[in-house]
C-alpha cells in the first residue's frame, strides 16, 4: 500500500533567498527532480516520493511512501548535519500503534530529513554577504541570482549518478539514473501514472551480470565503472566505507574516491561537495575553466591543457578567495552561467579552454543543457573502424 503521509501540503518557514527550488533542483546536482506542474517539483529522497513547492516565505512539502516497504526511511548510516535532533524515527509499520501516531512521527522525521537534505542549518544569505565582500564579480552575480544552495544527497546515489556523468549530458544522465533505480531499486509507488523507485543498494550493483545488463540498457563503458566500483566498495566493508568519508578530511576522502573505477578528480570533487560534507571541494570542468580564465585567472587562457597542477591551482584560488564554503560559491557562478538560466542576450562571452575550442563552438550553436557532469577526466575507449574513423563504444 502506498499513501501520502498527509492529504495536504505541510510547510515550514524558509525565505526564498535561502533557496530557490527552481534553480537548486534544476542545475544538475541531482537528477531525480522534475517540475511536474508549474512551481511544483517531484522527486525521490530515500524510500519516499516528495513534492515540493514554495512561496516567498515558506517551503511546502508532501511525502508519499510504501507503508509496507522493508527499507528504512533513510539509510542507517546517514548522520544528520542539522542541529535539529531526529525525532522518533518511524518505520511506517503499526506495531499496535494508532495510525495517527505513525503519521505524526513520520511527519516529524520527514521535516528533519528535508531540512537536512536542503542543508538549512547553513545561512545562505550570510554566505552571499561574505562572498560578495571578498569578490566583486560574485557581488554582481548575486544581485539577481540568489538561492543557489547545495543539497546534501545520499552518498550512494550521488556517487553512482556521477559515475554515469562521464562524457554525458543531463538528459541522458537522468535516464541512466532512473534505469538504475527501476532495474535494481525497490518500487516505492505509482503516482499520477509515474512509477518511482528507491536508489539501489551497493550490493545490488555488485552482483554478477550487472555490467552486461547495463550495457544492454545503453550505459556503454560506464557499465563497467558501476559494477567495478560497487565491487570495490563491498570489498572495503560495504556502504559504511563510503559514509565514513564524511568524517575524513578533504585530501584523504578524495584520495579514497580516486581508487574507484571511473572516478577522476572532477567527479570525486562533485561527490565530495554534494554528499560528503566537503563544502570547499571545487569540481573543475571545461565550464569552470572558462569562468576562471575569463574572470579570475587570465593566465589560464595561455595554458595548453588542464594539468593536475592547474586543476589544484584553480581550486586553491577559489578557496582562498571565498573560504570554507568555496564549493557553494563556485556553484552559484556556475549555475548563473548555465544556458537554461540565461536571459536572452545576457550571456557573457566564454573563453574556449585548451583542447575544447571546436566543442565549445559547437555548444554555442546548439541549446544544450550543460552541467558539471557533462565531462570528466575519464574518456570512453575508442575503436578504429575499417574506414579509419574513430568510433566510441559508449
Amino acid at each position: 500500500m502506498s499513501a501520502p503521509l498527509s492529504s495536504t501540503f505541510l510547510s515550514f518557514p524558509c525565505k526564498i533567498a535561502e533557496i530557490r527550488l527552481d534553480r537548486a533542483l534544476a542545475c544538475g546536482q541531482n537528477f531525480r527532480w522534475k517540475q511536474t506542474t508549474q512551481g511544483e517539483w517531484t522527486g525521490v529522497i530515500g524510500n519516499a516520493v516528495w513534492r515540493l513547492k514554495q512561496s516567498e516565505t515558506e517551503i511546502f512539502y508532501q511525502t508519499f511512501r510504501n507503508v509496507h516497504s522493508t527499507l528504512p526511511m533513510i539509510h542507517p548510516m546517514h548522520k544528520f548535519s542539522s542541529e535539529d535532533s531526529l525525532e522518533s524515527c518511524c518505520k511506517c509499520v503499526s506495531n499496535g500503534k494508532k495510525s495517527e501516531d505513525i503519521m505524526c512521527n513520520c511527519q516529524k522525521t520527514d521535516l528533519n530529513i528535508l531540512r537536512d537534505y536542503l542543508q538549512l542549518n547553513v545561512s545562505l544569505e550570510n554566505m552571499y554577504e561574505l562572498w560578495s565582500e571578498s569578490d566583486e564579480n560574485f557581488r554582481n552575480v548575486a544581485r539577481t541570482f540568489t538561492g543557489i544552495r547545495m543539497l546534501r544527497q545520499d552518498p550512494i546515489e550521488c556517487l553512482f549518478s556521477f559515475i554515469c556523468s562521464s562524457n554525458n549530458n543531463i538528459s541522458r544522465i537522468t535516464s541512466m539514473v532512473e534505469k538504475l533505480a527501476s532495474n535494481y531499486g525497490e518500487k516505492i509507488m505509482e503516482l499520477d501514472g509515474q512509477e518511482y523507485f528507491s536508489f539501489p543498494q551497493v550490493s545490488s550493483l555488485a552482483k554478477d551480470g550487472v555490467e552486461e545488463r547495463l550495457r544492454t540498457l545503453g550505459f556503454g563503458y560506464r557499465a563497467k565503472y558501476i559494477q567495478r566500483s560497487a565491487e570495490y566498495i563491498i570489498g572495503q566493508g560495504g556502504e559504511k566505507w563510503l559514509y565514513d568519508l564524511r568524517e575524513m578530511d578533504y585530501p584523504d576522502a578524495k584520495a579514497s574516491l580516486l581508487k574507484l573505477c571511473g572516478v577522476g578528480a572532477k567527479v570525486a570533487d562533485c561527490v565530495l561537495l554534494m554528499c560528503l560534507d566537503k563544502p570547499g571541494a571545487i569540481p573543475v570542468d571545461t565550464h569552470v575553466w572558462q569562468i576562471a580564465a575569463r574572470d579570475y585567472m587570465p593566465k589560464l587562457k595561455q595554458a595548453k591543457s588542464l594539468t593536475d597542477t592547474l586543476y589544484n591551482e584553480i581550486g586553491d584560488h577559489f578557496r582562498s578567495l571565498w573560504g570554507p564554503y568555496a564549493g557553494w560559491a563556485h556553484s552559484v557562478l556556475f549555475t548563473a552561467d548555465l544556458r537554461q538560466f540565461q536571459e536572452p542576450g545576457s550571456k557573457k562571452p566564454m573563453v574556449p579552454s585548451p583542447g575544447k575550442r571546436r566543442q565549445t563552438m559547437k555548444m554555442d550553436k546548439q541549446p544544450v543543457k550543460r552541467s558539471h557532469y557533462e565531462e570528466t577526466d575519464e574518456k570512453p575507449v575508442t575503436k578504429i573502424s575499417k574506414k579509419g574513423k574513430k568510433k566510441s563504444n559508449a
Side-chain angles (χ1 to χ4, degrees):
M1 175 183 176
S2 300
L5 295 184
S6 173
S7 58
T8 59
F9 280 90
L10 303 175
S11 68
F12 59 89
C14 182
K15 293 189 292 184
I16 199 167
E18 286 293 329
I19 183 169
R20 282 279 303 266
L21 295 178
D22 60 336
R23 292 170 177 172
L25 300 182
C27 65
Q29 56 177 310
N30 181 278
F31 304 98
R32 303 200 73 189
W33 290 100
K34 295 180 181 178
Q35 186 171 211
T36 45
T37 62
Q38 184 63 36
E40 185 175 297
W41 295 80
T42 304
V44 175
I45 306 175
N47 74 333
V49 180
W50 295 70
R51 281 179 173 164
L52 303 179
K53 59 183 180 179
Q54 70 182 143
S55 67
E56 291 288 332
T57 58
E58 290 182 285
I59 288 181
F60 300 85
Y61 66 98
Q62 190 177 22
T63 317
F64 302 79
R65 62 167 54 85
N66 186 334
V67 297
H68 297 300
S69 172
T70 58
L71 293 176
M73 295 175 73
I74 53 172
H75 195 279
M77 289 300 302
H78 185 87
K79 294 182 180 179
F80 281 72
S81 62
S82 172
E83 295 178 358
D84 298 329
S85 61
L86 183 61
E87 301 284 352
S88 176
C89 190
C90 170
K91 294 182 179 179
C92 290
V93 243
S94 61
N95 292 328
K97 294 183 180 180
K98 295 180 180 179
S99 60
E100 57 265 30
D101 293 333
I102 297 172
M103 184 174 292
C104 180
N105 286 336
C106 286
Q107 288 173 358
K108 291 177 181 178
T109 300
D110 282 344
L111 176 59
N112 283 278
I113 290 173
L114 184 56
R115 289 181 59 85
D116 179 80
Y117 183 79
L118 300 179
Q119 302 204 73
L120 295 179
N121 59 315
V122 178
S123 173
L124 192 63
E125 282 190 293
N126 289 345
M127 288 297 191
Y128 265 65
E129 290 180 9
L130 291 173
W131 298 327
S132 295
E133 289 174 1
S134 60
D135 180 5
E136 181 180 359
N137 183 57
F138 184 93
R139 182 165 62 251
N140 293 334
V141 172
R143 291 192 181 104
T144 57
F145 213 80
T146 59
I148 306 302
R149 172 179 290 277
M150 302 309 299
L151 308 175
R152 188 175 189 249
Q153 303 177 52
D154 175 76
I156 301 166
E157 178 178 333
C158 187
L159 170 64
F160 287 98
S161 295
F162 289 116
I163 288 177
C164 290
S165 74
S166 174
N167 296 284
N168 222 339
N169 57 60
I170 291 177
S171 177
R172 192 166 177 226
I173 300 166
T174 299
S175 174
M176 288 181 175
V177 171
E178 290 304 323
K179 287 177 182 177
L180 286 177
S182 61
N183 283 274
Y184 296 99
E186 179 179 297
K187 183 176 178 178
I188 300 172
M189 66 175 301
E190 183 174 327
L191 182 64
D192 297 332
Q194 174 70 45
E195 291 184 326
Y196 292 89
F197 298 83
S198 62
F199 197 81
Q201 301 177 56
V202 173
S203 57
S204 298
L205 299 177
K207 292 179 180 178
D208 291 341
V210 168
E211 178 182 345
E212 291 75 12
R213 170 64 175 158
L214 293 181
R215 284 187 178 275
T216 66
L217 292 173
F219 281 68
Y221 62 91
R222 304 167 194 85
K224 178 180 70 175
Y225 295 170
I226 291 170
Q227 179 161 1
R228 290 194 180 180
S229 290
E231 290 172 346
Y232 180 86
I233 292 171
I234 295 299
Q236 298 303 306
E239 295 169 351
K240 183 178 184 298
W241 174 83
L242 186 57
Y243 278 86
D244 283 349
L245 299 185
R246 283 179 166 173
E247 309 303 322
M248 297 172 64
D249 59 23
Y250 169 70
D252 291 340
K254 185 170 183 176
S256 296
L257 286 177
L258 290 174
K259 296 177 182 178
L260 295 169
C261 185
V263 175
K266 194 212 64 176
V267 168
D269 277 326
C270 284
V271 176
L272 291 163
L273 174 63
M274 298 171 192
C275 69
L276 294 178
D277 300 342
K278 305 295 182 284
I282 296 180
V284 180
D285 67 351
T286 298
H287 201 51
V288 175
W289 173 291
Q290 292 168 335
I291 293 172
R294 184 190 67 205
D295 299 325
Y296 295 94
M297 304 171 69
K299 73 172 187 176
L300 294 177
K301 299 175 185 178
Q302 309 304 320
K304 295 182 179 180
S305 63
L306 181 60
T307 63
D308 290 344
T309 298
L310 283 180
Y311 184 103
N312 293 330
E313 280 186 18
I314 293 171
D316 289 342
H317 176 86
F318 286 137
R319 280 184 281 269
S320 65
L321 179 63
W322 295 322
Y325 278 74
W328 286 44
H330 121 282
S331 292
V332 174
L333 298 187
F334 178 91
T335 305
D337 247 22
L338 290 178
R339 186 169 280 107
Q340 63 262 39
F341 297 119
Q342 292 289 323
E343 294 294 334
S346 65
K347 186 170 178 60
K348 297 179 181 179
M350 298 303 291
V351 178
S353 55
K356 299 291 182 180
R357 286 176 173 81
R358 289 185 179 179
Q359 179 179 352
T360 302
M361 291 172 65
K362 184 177 180 181
M363 285 182 175
D364 287 341
K365 295 178 181 178
Q366 298 178 358
V368 179
K369 286 188 176 181
R370 305 187 64 210
S371 125
H372 282 303
Y373 327 114
E374 276 193 25
E375 301 174 61
T376 72
D377 314 81
E378 303 294 333
K379 301 297 182 184
V381 178
T382 57
K383 297 180 180 179
I384 305 298
S385 69
K386 293 181 179 180
K387 295 182 179 180
K389 295 182 179 180
K390 290 185 178 180
K391 182 178 181 181
S392 172
N393 68 346

